[in-house]
Amino acid sequence: MTDRRGVVARRAEDLSPGVPYVRGWNRARRSAGNLADQLVLLGLDSDFPGLVADVNVFGEGLVQLGTVRPEAAELLAKLITAGLEAERLDTAAELPVTTRRETPAA
């Protein structure tokens, strides 16, 4: 069964013909790799030893964080929130581009 966002479907254990498992897993592998790279830069890679790519029964890629300590989950949530806030402030700081109409010279 899948939740409304489509991420809680069972992981694929028995494969069905015609389902693009490799494509979904490859996308999850790239995403897990990108997250792992960022965790290394932050010195948090040892806090997420169970980080792996997976795929669900529909062939959709999944990134599993594994079992993590509550402190690691809280820190990850704070980092995501700080990043979103920085992105929001950066977007708000950009001046909107306005177009001015040129009036013909008389």
Side-chain angles (χ1 to χ4, degrees):
M1 181 161 189
T2 302
D3 69 357
R4 62 189 172 97
R5 293 186 186 188
V7 295
V8 185
R10 293 185 339 268
R11 59 182 296 274
E13 294 176 358
D14 297 321
L15 306 183
S16 301
V19 178
Y21 297 109
V22 174
R23 183 181 304 137
W25 181 84
N26 195 36
R27 182 167 185 231
R29 184 182 59 84
R30 284 192 309 270
S31 296
N34 289 336
L35 178 56
D37 291 345
Q38 295 303 311
L39 291 172
V40 168
L41 291 175
L42 294 167
L44 299 174
D45 50 313
S46 62
D47 289 312
F48 295 88
L51 177 65
V52 294
D54 206 344
V55 66
N56 68 16
V57 293
F58 302 116
E60 299 164 334
L62 303 172
V63 175
Q64 295 188 20
L65 298 178
T67 303
V68 298
R69 294 177 303 114
E71 298 84 8
E74 185 176 346
L75 182 56
L76 183 59
K78 286 179 180 178
L79 289 168
I80 291 169
T81 302
L84 290 172
E85 181 66 15
E87 187 176 281
R88 186 185 68 77
L89 291 174
D90 188 44
T91 302
E94 293 177 7
L95 297 174
V97 178
T98 59
T99 56
R100 290 180 48 194
R101 283 192 159 177
E102 296 287 330
T103 52

